[in-house]
Amino acid sequence: MLITGIADLGTDMLKSGYARQLLLVCVISAPPLASVHAEAPEIAPASMPRIGTIDQRFQSYNIEMVEVTGGDFWKPYGVKPKTASDLYAYRPPIDLTNDRLRRLAAALAPAYLRVSGTWANATYFSDSDEAPLVPPVGFDGILTHRQWSGVIDFSEAVGARIVTSFATSGGTREADGAWTPEQARRLLAYTRSLGGSIAAAEFMNEPDLVSVDNKTKGYDPTAYGRDFRTFLMFVRQAAPEMMILGHGTIGTTETVSDMFAAAGPGIDAVSYHHYGAVSARCAGTQTPEAAVSDQWLSRTDRTFAFYRTIRDRFAPGKPIWLTETAEAACGGNPWASTFLDTFRYLDQLGRLAKAGVQVVIHNTLAASDYGLLDERTLTPRPNYWGALLWRRLMGTTVLDSGTQVRTSLHVYAHCLPAMPGGVTFLVINTDLGSSYALTLPIVSERYTLDAATLQDAVVRLNGHSLALEADDELPRIDGVTVRAGVINFAPATITFLTIPTAGNKACGS
């Protein structure tokens, strides 16, 4: 087993010592030596058919509105909360001019930048440069001209088009509770005055969870439908070029169906939110041992299936966007910032691209434990490196790999960007104790991610730790040449295989 496994890795990998590191990968409960599944199914990159395409900004990210304005957000782990309010910690407004932040965000371009979240529902946008010191009645936060101007400047600098939602709290409502568009009008007008644009918007964030004050207490589908129709008429006149996403709900209940029914037609894409669980902050019981299980990874399929049915009933033919997702709600679990969550991050992208979802927006870019970047140092976390490899190696044409998703081994295929006829495989081995093998009839380039332990904050590419270089330059991302034949995938590893000379006609050869 050891001789075969090493030989299949290739001469260059032997010289680098990477084969030895792969075979000795350390995982939570792996045995001293991994077993190997005997079969090695052959995959044919030249003949894989096209099954769909995704938006060029498919992989995107969220910056919470409360990050822009400053305010309370999920407290870092370390101190056990004493009360519900103790779940949060104050953060000053994010510095969107930071060179490192801009450099790292630009490397994920093109993307969508979603500025929204729960706090956006009650954020007041002033109509002047001088914002009030405290929010007006019916609002909880203040977004200044300078802060929104900074969002627009950041989006243009990093190649990310803006997605947002609008204030809907009591301060935007008439005495009878009906929503009025004045706050939305101000934000759109100011954006336009700066030469900016908003690509897409949801009316509000997660309307199925709304109950923020007396005027929206008991907010039901009928009230939502009334308000959404007002919003729809307003947008069609004030910003007809802006996509309307609907309805940014997070549940999979009859309430969601009722909201879609009450809102009626008019959305340009169906949008939804998905978290597989709530974090330990909010009394969640998810464990790290389950974080690579098929039961956990497949939760994204079940939520998508619900919203696909919703789309087919209420907006047939419209695209589907997942506009907020991460490892767990309430800021993520402690392992959301480690290599352990990179399996979920990339597997979710692979599953949803194959299912036809057009956009997936990760929460967040740089806040709390589920951020792609550490919020204090802006150091890339393992999920960032996974995101960077996806951006560089997975194109917008989705292929049928011919390999069914099965327990522990998930294989996805896309066209290789900017390489006519080229193909990329994403091979995820979630088994903690066994290697798997596939047979390729052609030479490929291998990019394997692993870590010393699953809950490590440092990830390795082909055996070498990934980290920023001097002056915050990204390191070289080079593959290792692998000859045709049987290729082994060690336990708890994520591998991209690129085949520039695959000659796949669906990829423009």
Side-chain angles (χ1 to χ4, degrees):
M1 178 189 73
L2 292 179
I3 293 174
T4 301
I6 291 175
D8 288 334
L9 290 174
T11 303
D12 290 340
M13 296 177 79
L14 279 171
K15 290 179 179 178
S16 70
Y18 179 53
R20 187 167 58 254
Q21 293 183 48
L22 272 182
L23 294 169
L24 297 178
V25 61
C26 182
V27 295
I28 288 177
S29 57
L33 291 177
S35 62
V36 177
H37 288 266
E39 69 275 11
E42 183 167 347
I43 47 181
S47 59
M48 293 184 302
R50 171 187 174 277
I51 59 175
T53 58
I54 52 176
D55 193 296
Q56 66 172 339
R57 302 172 191 270
F58 171 75
Q59 178 184 241
S60 294
Y61 51 83
N62 189 51
I63 293 179
E64 290 271 349
M65 181 67 80
V66 72
E67 293 180 73
V68 176
T69 63
D72 291 339
F73 196 57
W74 302 110
K75 179 182 290 188
Y77 286 103
V79 179
K80 186 176 181 179
K82 299 181 178 64
T83 65
S85 62
D86 199 37
L87 293 170
Y88 306 102
Y90 177 79
R91 288 160 172 81
I94 187 172
D95 180 7
L96 294 176
T97 67
N98 182 279
D99 288 339
R100 175 181 284 190
L101 181 66
R102 289 191 170 204
R103 187 186 298 264
L104 295 174
L108 301 180
Y112 288 108
L113 160 63
R114 179 174 176 266
V115 181
S116 182
T118 301
W119 287 261
N121 288 347
T123 296
Y124 175 80
F125 185 65
S126 176
D127 60 354
S128 66
D129 289 334
E130 296 299 322
L133 295 178
V134 295
V137 174
F139 297 94
D140 296 332
I142 299 171
L143 175 66
T144 69
H145 278 192
R146 178 180 56 80
Q147 288 166 344
W148 188 247
S149 174
V151 168
I152 295 170
D153 186 63
F154 178 82
S155 73
E156 293 173 349
V158 304
R161 300 197 66 195
I162 296 172
V163 175
T164 193
S165 64
F166 299 98
T168 57
S169 59
T172 68
R173 297 179 179 274
E174 303 282 8
D176 63 358
W179 180 79
T180 61
E182 182 55 32
Q183 278 288 296
R185 191 188 314 279
R186 290 181 186 180
L187 189 67
L188 288 171
Y190 185 65
T191 301
R192 191 175 294 112
S193 75
L194 297 179
S197 65
I198 296 174
E202 293 160 329
F203 169 42
M204 68 168 74
N205 184 76
E206 296 172 0
D208 51 333
L209 297 185
V210 164
S211 182
V212 296
D213 51 39
N214 289 334
K215 289 184 179 179
T216 52
K217 189 175 183 180
Y219 197 65
D220 62 16
T222 300
Y224 178 77
R226 173 202 64 202
D227 293 341
F228 178 78
R229 289 190 295 275
T230 300
F231 172 72
L232 180 64
M233 289 187 292
F234 161 71
V235 170
R236 293 306 185 214
Q237 294 177 355
E241 74 288 351
M242 184 178 74
M243 285 186 67
I244 297 178
L245 307 177
H247 291 279
T249 46
I250 194 169
T252 54
T253 66
E254 193 63 32
T255 297
V256 173
S257 298
D258 291 344
M259 283 186 160
F260 272 82
I267 60 174
D268 299 307
V270 169
S271 67
Y272 72 101
H273 298 176
H274 167 75
Y275 294 92
V278 296
S279 74
R281 288 185 188 85
C282 297
T285 58
Q286 184 72 9
T287 64
E289 288 78 14
V292 293
S293 70
D294 215 50
Q295 189 276 338
W296 169 250
L297 297 176
S298 65
R299 289 187 185 187
T300 195
D301 292 338
R302 294 195 290 274
T303 304
F304 168 72
F306 174 86
Y307 281 95
R308 179 176 55 195
T309 299
I310 289 288
R311 186 273 310 273
D312 293 345
R313 281 183 63 191
F314 299 109
K318 297 296 184 183
I320 300 177
W321 289 28
L322 174 53
T323 50
E324 187 178 314
T325 190
E327 181 268 336
C330 303
N333 281 302
W335 57 88
S337 60
T338 73
F339 180 57
L340 182 57
D341 188 50
T342 306
F343 292 86
R344 179 210 57 83
Y345 181 92
L346 289 172
D347 187 71
Q348 183 181 46
L349 292 180
R351 285 175 188 258
L352 294 181
K354 190 174 181 180
V357 172
Q358 287 300 297
V359 176
V360 177
I361 302 181
H362 176 77
N363 199 33
T364 61
L365 178 61
S368 203
D369 294 271
Y370 49 28
L372 297 177
L373 309 175
D374 181 279
E375 66 180 67
R376 294 162 298 177
T377 65
L378 300 180
T379 299
R381 288 171 166 165
N383 279 354
Y384 178 85
W385 298 113
L388 184 64
L389 283 169
W390 178 283
R391 165 54 57 208
R392 293 190 180 184
L393 303 179
M394 301 290 274
T396 57
T397 298
V398 185
L399 304 171
D400 183 351
S401 70
T403 303
Q404 295 297 319
V405 173
R406 52 181 168 158
T407 301
S408 301
L409 185 69
H410 304 171
V411 182
Y412 306 101
H414 287 220
C415 292
L416 178 62
M419 190 64 65
V423 168
T424 301
F425 290 99
L426 170 58
V427 183
I428 301 174
N429 183 4
T430 63
D431 197 306
L432 302 186
S434 297
S435 294
Y436 284 87
L438 296 171
T439 301
L440 269 181
I442 192 170
V443 171
S444 61
E445 293 288 314
R446 180 173 189 150
Y447 304 76
T448 293
L449 297 174
D450 77 338
T453 66
L454 281 178
Q455 294 190 62
D456 202 322
V458 176
V459 66
R460 300 182 297 219
L461 174 64
N462 295 338
H464 302 285
S465 296
L466 286 170
L468 294 177
E469 297 183 345
D471 300 323
D472 291 339
E473 292 288 341
L474 288 166
R476 288 180 58 88
I477 304 295
D478 294 324
V480 175
T481 301
V482 181
R483 67 174 182 265
V486 176
I487 302 175
N488 284 313
F489 302 92
T493 58
I494 300 169
T495 298
F496 294 84
L497 289 174
T498 63
I499 311 170
T501 58
N504 189 302
K505 292 183 180 179
C507 299
S509 63

